[in-house]
Amino acid sequence: MILGIDVGGTSVKFGLVTPEGEIQNATRFMTADWVNGIGFVESMKLEIGNFLKQYPIVKGVGIGWPGLVSLDRTKVILLPNIPSVVNVPIVEILRSEFPHIHFKIENDAKCAALGEYYFGENKRMQTFILLALGTGVGSGVMMNGKLFIGGRGNGTEVGHMLTTRGKSLENQVGINHLIAYTHEQLALDVAKKSSLHTIAELSPKVIADHAAQGDALALAVWADIGTIIGESLVNIVRVMDLNNILLGGGISGAFDYFVPNLKKAMLEHLPTYYTDDMYIGKATLENDAGLLGAAGLIMEAI
Amino acid sequence: MILGIDVGGTSVKFGLVTPEGEIQNATRFMTADWVNGIGFVESMKLEIGNFLKQYPIVKGVGIGWPGLVSLDRTKVILLPNIPSVVNVPIVEILRSEFPHIHFKIENDAKCAALGEYYFGENKRMQTFILLALGTGVGSGVMMNGKLFIGGRGNGTEVGHMLTTRGKSLENQVGINHLIAYTHEQLALDVAKKSSLHTIAELSPKVIADHAAQGDALALAVWADIGTIIGESLVNIVRVMDLNNILLGGGISGAFDYFVPNLKKAMLEHLPTYYTDDMYIGKATLENDAGLLGAAGLIMEAI
């Protein structure tokens, strides 16, 4: 049994994960409570200790972090939300505190790819990118059954790639930017044809729902988002040469509305070598991806 | 001793390469003669046989190709210049003809990175990208001492990445496009201030020479080229996380004029994690890179 830990800016999730990917006894702690209490690292040590005492069946602990990780995977080196953990030798601290337990850390988007690899519906797909489209845009790549981390350990930070429009991918298709862009389009719709004018608070789900009802403005927003993501995927594919693409995160619910233009952009800019056997599908673990992926870190170790 | 073979659209270069990277008895054949004669594959077999008979000290043959190579490195799968070799099991054919010799094939831009790795001034630099800036724009990446080929074998095709201006990198900074762009700028220079107006035939060297003499238009052309390459490198670095960049090929002679803006673009769009220890330098093998890199394919085998 593995303890998966998914660290986030808001909460830290714990869950026991079976080798089949079942999550048991999931629980969450508020990140701010840890930071403002006895300190993040001390709190993590304490709660891991509590879990291990309660579940002595646990042999390994995998921890996913929303930041950059050192090449040797011993510490977090950039984590704006929790600065007190940066450069702390967290793996060493945990190993010396719990010497019989395996510990591993990884970036959370890379964990999500591991999660799909070990526990998703496309289990053991050898080479793919998981694109996580949420407030932020992250990704993880499995390459021939191994997690790709890049030369210095923090590759596949695709949300910060520049698009053909000169801005970063995240600054165009991240949820807040998507909503801002929809507001801009609504302001241009002076005839108020779009049914979205009646909505007090926009969200990806609402914009997708209106697209489903045929609202032209909503459909155009998603078409544009699809083009931007597709063009970025062209660049990723040219560098990485992979042709399995899994789309996850908060906007992937609008899959049917942005994927046609995404594909169109890829077909326009890539030769058939890259596109002939291309698979573009939804990620399958959604909210559990982080926790399961953190557990996935330990799958080969125990 | 290794026989390196560098296949090009115009000529096929042969050279004996010592383990120290010295090229001996270099010779070249015209590609068209092979294609129009007894056929490319038959000609290659014949000339390899002649070389091996003359230099029985040769233990291995590495061949670089200007096209896409199958993931198992047994054949060329896309090579517009020499279609008759596509999908021919060239490695198997050569191995059965010369059973005591090691044969390996690779894409030529990837060979050039291997050449720098084994024989360049930055010998054994573990992780770097070699960007080859010529008529085409190619690249090869060494990652922790291994050639990176991507998930399906043909990654790092960076010349076809889309830039912030919506066109491919190659279609903006490739030599022909660079010259066309300079002509466009000259057409806009109605006061004819630029000394480049007196030049009958533009070339990267001429444009660099005029930049060296302070010609404002030439300097502006290189500055713009630098920005475009720098922005593409931002995307490459975000995906690959490497911070050693070697620039080679026909326009690298203008290094001093385009690299300042290249660096500026990278500093503007990348956090210090990526840029603090960044090295940007010239490739060191230039015209020999292809041949030496082809020989590099065999360095670990014999």
Side-chain angles (χ1 to χ4, degrees):
Chain A
M1 194 77 90
I2 298 166
L3 169 56
I5 301 179
D6 182 18
V7 177
T10 306
S11 70
V12 180
K13 296 178 201 161
F14 278 45
L16 295 179
V17 177
T18 70
E20 292 72 38
E22 199 194 324
I23 299 175
Q24 297 172 352
N25 305 89
T27 184
R28 57 155 64 194
F29 307 92
M30 299 315 289
T31 308
D33 291 348
W34 281 17
V35 170
N36 300 326
I38 58 173
F40 190 91
V41 174
E42 282 302 312
S43 300
M44 176 171 265
K45 229 162 64 176
L46 186 75
E47 296 299 349
I48 289 175
N50 288 341
F51 241 79
L52 293 177
K53 208 175 295 173
Q54 207 173 344
Y55 309 103
I57 195 175
V58 169
K59 297 280 181 286
V61 181
I63 313 173
W65 303 83
L68 303 189
V69 179
S70 66
L71 181 54
D72 63 5
R73 271 35 189 171
T74 60
K75 59 195 178 196
V76 175
I77 58 177
L78 190 69
L79 189 61
N81 284 327
I82 316 170
S84 66
V85 87
V86 169
N87 287 325
V88 171
I90 185 78
V91 172
E92 193 187 310
I93 288 171
L94 293 172
R95 281 182 187 157
S96 73
E97 186 84 9
F98 311 104
H100 302 298
I101 305 290
H102 290 275
F103 284 94
K104 282 200 173 180
I105 65 170
E106 189 48 83
N107 165 270
D108 59 357
K110 294 185 178 66
C111 282
L114 277 178
E116 289 288 340
Y117 180 77
Y118 285 114
F119 306 117
E121 283 171 29
N122 304 296
K123 205 174 283 190
R124 307 278 172 170
M125 185 187 266
Q126 292 296 297
T127 298
F128 68 87
I129 184 167
L130 169 67
L131 203 57
L133 300 155
T135 308
V137 173
S139 85
V141 167
M142 294 298 291
M143 197 167 274
N144 302 312
K146 297 272 171 221
L147 186 65
F148 175 81
I149 63 171
R152 299 165 66 239
N154 290 288
T156 67
E157 287 280 341
V158 303
H160 303 287
M161 292 176 81
L162 299 171
T163 75
T164 57
R165 306 185 192 185
K167 289 196 279 185
S168 76
L169 179 61
E170 185 168 295
N171 280 346
Q172 288 169 92
V173 308
I175 289 176
N176 297 334
H177 298 275
L178 163 70
I179 290 171
Y181 175 67
T182 309
H183 279 299
E184 279 168 39
Q185 297 305 303
L186 284 169
L188 295 173
D189 175 29
V190 284
K192 305 233 172 196
K193 281 189 180 171
S194 171
S195 53
L196 283 169
H197 283 289
T198 63
I199 303 299
E201 197 167 350
L202 292 179
S203 71
K205 184 172 182 329
V206 165
I207 305 169
D209 288 346
H210 285 247
Q213 291 154 25
D215 185 75
L217 189 144
L219 286 166
V221 165
W222 288 120
D224 200 48
I225 295 290
T227 299
I228 296 169
I229 298 172
E231 288 177 348
S232 289
L233 280 168
V234 166
N235 286 353
I236 293 167
V237 166
R238 286 291 194 177
V239 176
M240 305 289 278
D241 193 6
L242 41 79
N243 63 1
N244 292 311
I245 296 162
L246 300 181
L247 303 169
I251 78 161
S252 61
F255 189 92
D256 293 344
Y257 310 111
F258 70 82
V259 167
N261 262 34
L262 180 158
K263 280 187 185 162
K264 195 175 153 207
M266 297 187 79
L267 290 170
E268 185 181 337
H269 295 291
L270 291 170
T272 54
Y273 162 76
Y274 295 100
T275 55
D276 268 354
D277 300 314
M278 186 157 280
Y279 172 76
I280 301 175
K282 287 189 194 182
T284 63
L285 300 177
E286 289 298 341
N287 289 334
D288 291 334
L291 199 59
L292 289 174
L297 286 170
I298 304 293
M299 283 291 280
E300 316 262 289
I302 62 172
Chain B
M1 196 77 91
I2 299 166
L3 170 56
I5 302 180
D6 183 18
V7 178
T10 307
S11 70
V12 180
K13 297 178 201 160
F14 278 45
L16 295 181
V17 177
T18 70
E20 292 72 38
E22 199 194 325
I23 299 175
Q24 297 171 353
N25 304 88
T27 184
R28 57 155 64 192
F29 306 92
M30 300 315 288
T31 308
D33 291 348
W34 281 16
V35 170
N36 300 327
I38 58 172
F40 191 92
V41 174
E42 281 302 312
S43 301
M44 175 171 264
K45 231 162 64 176
L46 184 75
E47 296 300 348
I48 288 175
N50 288 341
F51 241 80
L52 293 177
K53 208 176 295 173
Q54 205 173 346
Y55 308 104
I57 195 177
V58 169
K59 297 281 182 286
V61 181
I63 313 173
W65 304 82
L68 303 189
V69 180
S70 66
L71 180 55
D72 63 5
R73 270 37 188 169
T74 60
K75 59 193 179 197
V76 176
I77 57 176
L78 190 71
L79 188 61
N81 284 328
I82 317 169
S84 66
V85 86
V86 169
N87 286 326
V88 171
I90 185 78
V91 173
E92 194 187 311
I93 289 171
L94 293 171
R95 280 182 189 158
S96 73
E97 186 84 10
F98 310 104
H100 302 298
I101 305 289
H102 290 274
F103 284 94
K104 280 199 175 181
I105 65 170
E106 188 49 83
N107 165 270
D108 59 357
K110 292 185 179 66
C111 282
L114 277 178
E116 288 288 339
Y117 181 77
Y118 284 114
F119 306 118
E121 283 171 29
N122 304 295
K123 206 174 282 191
R124 307 278 170 170
M125 186 186 265
Q126 291 295 297
T127 298
F128 67 88
I129 184 166
L130 169 68
L131 203 56
L133 300 156
T135 308
V137 173
S139 85
V141 166
M142 294 295 292
M143 197 167 274
N144 303 311
K146 297 271 171 222
L147 186 65
F148 175 82
I149 63 170
R152 298 166 65 239
N154 291 288
T156 68
E157 287 280 340
V158 304
H160 303 286
M161 291 176 81
L162 299 171
T163 74
T164 58
R165 306 185 192 185
K167 288 196 278 185
S168 76
L169 180 61
E170 186 168 295
N171 279 347
Q172 289 169 91
V173 309
I175 288 175
N176 297 335
H177 297 276
L178 163 71
I179 290 171
Y181 175 67
T182 308
H183 279 299
E184 279 169 39
Q185 297 305 303
L186 284 169
L188 295 173
D189 175 30
V190 286
K192 304 231 172 199
K193 282 190 180 171
S194 171
S195 54
L196 283 170
H197 283 288
T198 63
I199 303 299
E201 198 167 349
L202 292 180
S203 71
K205 184 171 182 329
V206 165
I207 305 169
D209 288 347
H210 285 249
Q213 292 154 24
D215 186 74
L217 189 144
L219 286 166
V221 165
W222 288 121
D224 200 47
I225 295 290
T227 300
I228 296 169
I229 299 172
E231 288 177 348
S232 289
L233 280 167
V234 166
N235 286 354
I236 293 166
V237 166
R238 286 291 194 176
V239 175
M240 305 290 278
D241 194 6
L242 41 78
N243 63 1
N244 292 311
I245 297 163
L246 300 181
L247 303 170
I251 79 160
S252 61
F255 189 92
D256 293 346
Y257 310 112
F258 70 80
V259 166
N261 262 35
L262 180 159
K263 281 187 186 162
K264 196 174 153 208
M266 297 188 79
L267 290 170
E268 185 181 336
H269 295 292
L270 291 170
T272 54
Y273 162 76
Y274 295 99
T275 55
D276 268 354
D277 300 314
M278 186 158 279
Y279 172 77
I280 301 176
K282 286 188 195 181
T284 62
L285 300 177
E286 288 299 340
N287 289 334
D288 292 333
L291 200 59
L292 289 173
L297 285 170
I298 304 292
M299 284 290 281
E300 317 263 288
I302 64 171

